[in-house]
Amino acid sequence: MLHILGIDTSCDESAAGVVTDGQVVRSNVIASQVAVHRPYGGVVPEVASRAHLISLPGVVAQALEEAGLGFGDLGAVAVTQGPGLVGPLLVGVAAAKAFAYASGIPLIAVHHLLGHLYTCWLARPELPLPAICLLASGGHTVLLYWEDHVRVRIVGRTLDEAAGEAFDKVARFLGLGYPGGPALEKLAAAGDPQAFSFPRAWLGPDSLDFSFSGLKTAVVNYCREVWAKGGQLPLADVAASFQAAVVEVLVEKAVRAMKSFNVQSLALAGGVAANGYLRQALEERARREGWNFTVPPRELCTDNGAMVAAAGYFLYRQGRVADQYLEAVPGLSLEAFLGN
Ligand code: KG4
Ligand code: ZN
């Protein structure tokens, strides 16, 4: 049995988890920084770095304690190398190097998107591959062709903003504060998704790419126009109609990818996968098409340490071990990381 400690400090959560053999989650501890950043209406990178410095040691200690393990029981330490915010990443990478060195165990560098991808494996070990994974987070919206372990290719990506970013910005505009995605979903639940027909960017009949900034601007402009004329807007309807537009595009593009790669497994991951409307829409569509569908439980969708440990296990099995010269890379691309 190989126990791996996984650490993620790519953005605003100090996260550590222990996973055995890439599929059994022993612990998954997250120190959220929401309260720290809320007064600013978004994540402040340097504030995040300092908060990671303070909370990460305790988070790691708790992850080990909950797993019932000590450093001596670990087979390796895995850490998010990038992409993410440079200061926060540096804290995680430095800590992981120290833990690995002091314990005399291997250090594994993990790409953040691979971490999100492997939450699907945690949710469903032995998920039949190849699969298509729709991965939507705050920083990325991609379609991944998941051929085999750690053989992954981006086949569609956003040309501008990520879906989560659009959720956050529209939420902020509507006065819902930070973090925006969950707040917008809550408001949308009381609204009519067909009240307004906001634009969907299809980018041509075969495109697997996304674009959300036009939709965001359309929502903002529409609201401003109504308000300028002294009109009232049912904000729940605006939220529901915006959410419906994002979800329709995400679902249709995932379906396009499934058909063009002719695979039978569809997976959903990333922070936006915590959205109930998206989860239900994609699941229903997969059922109708006769595909098997995997989505992790909500707590695994947003950033966490267990996902890094799980991806780290499969990287380790491929012999990908890092050394003490490992550097945080804020703009790390999946292609550069995997060498393809
Ligand atoms: O994966 P994640 O935790 O961090 C990144 O890697 O970016 O994703 C965070 C993103 C944020 O944009 C957040 O607003 C969005 O996921 N999100 C949601 C929901 N929960 C989180 N978006 C829509 N509905 C939700 N329930
Ligand atoms: Zn993430």
Side-chain angles (χ1 to χ4, degrees):
M1 276 200 303
L2 191 75
H3 308 298
I4 296 185
L5 169 69
I7 295 174
D8 185 89
T9 57
S10 58
C11 189
D12 58 348
E13 338 249 19
S14 307
V18 177
V19 173
T20 301
D21 293 338
Q23 62 185 57
V24 180
V25 180
R26 307 246 160 208
S27 65
N28 201 15
V29 179
I30 297 164
S32 162
Q33 298 180 6
V34 165
V36 183
H37 299 290
R38 186 169 275 142
Y40 306 99
V43 180
V44 184
E46 284 321 304
V47 173
S49 312
R50 285 193 286 276
H52 283 304
L53 262 182
I54 293 164
S55 53
L56 188 62
V59 167
V60 168
Q62 194 182 333
L64 287 173
E65 194 188 319
E66 285 183 16
L69 301 170
F71 275 112
D73 302 312
L74 294 176
V77 178
V79 65
T80 299
Q81 181 188 12
L85 300 170
V86 65
L89 285 171
L90 278 170
V91 176
V93 168
K97 281 187 197 176
F99 292 138
Y101 184 76
S103 311
I105 53 176
L107 174 69
I108 305 160
V110 174
H111 189 284
H112 188 72
L113 293 188
L114 281 186
H116 277 298
L117 180 69
Y118 273 88
T119 58
C120 303
W121 192 264
L122 288 175
R124 184 182 200 165
E126 308 305 328
L127 179 155
L129 298 178
I132 288 288
C133 178
L134 168 63
L135 200 169
S137 71
H140 295 85
T141 297
V142 290
L143 281 162
L144 298 171
Y145 179 58
W146 189 4
E147 201 178 340
D148 200 354
H149 284 300
V150 204
R151 282 232 305 274
V152 182
R153 195 149 56 86
I154 295 179
V155 296
R157 65 175 80 226
T158 182
L159 304 179
D160 39 54
E161 284 172 8
E165 198 178 345
F167 264 93
D168 292 335
K169 288 181 175 168
V170 169
R172 196 170 168 175
F173 174 75
L174 296 178
L176 303 175
Y178 151 90
L184 196 137
E185 179 183 7
K186 209 164 150 211
L187 178 64
D192 173 7
Q194 282 165 354
F196 305 103
S197 103
F198 292 129
R200 277 85 165 141
W202 298 114
L203 308 171
D206 301 323
S207 169
L208 300 180
D209 291 330
F210 304 90
S211 166
F212 294 107
S213 75
L215 166 63
K216 178 202 67 191
T217 308
V219 173
V220 168
N221 287 347
Y222 180 77
C223 293
R224 284 203 175 123
E225 257 171 51
V226 174
W227 289 332
K229 290 182 197 141
Q232 294 273 324
L233 266 178
L235 292 189
D237 287 349
V238 173
S241 302
F242 162 77
Q243 179 176 261
V246 173
V247 167
E248 186 183 330
V249 172
L250 289 174
V251 169
E252 288 308 320
K253 297 276 173 153
V255 168
R256 279 185 192 177
M258 287 295 290
K259 291 187 174 167
S260 80
F261 286 86
N262 196 22
V263 297
Q264 294 305 309
S265 299
L266 175 60
L268 174 63
V272 182
N275 183 282
Y277 192 85
L278 172 61
R279 295 167 78 90
Q280 197 183 339
L282 202 56
E283 178 163 19
E284 264 169 28
R285 185 61 184 266
R287 196 181 320 123
R288 262 199 285 142
E289 301 279 356
W291 299 325
N292 71 65
F293 178 67
T294 305
V295 62
R298 281 185 172 79
E299 66 274 14
L300 281 180
C301 291
T302 43
D303 293 347
N304 63 85
M307 70 184 203
V308 177
Y313 174 79
F314 291 97
L315 287 161
Y316 183 63
R317 280 207 342 199
Q318 310 278 325
R320 289 191 52 136
V321 176
D323 60 26
Q324 288 289 328
Y325 294 100
L326 179 70
E327 283 182 22
V329 182
L332 186 64
S333 76
L334 189 61
E335 291 85 354
F337 180 82
L338 291 174
N340 59 16

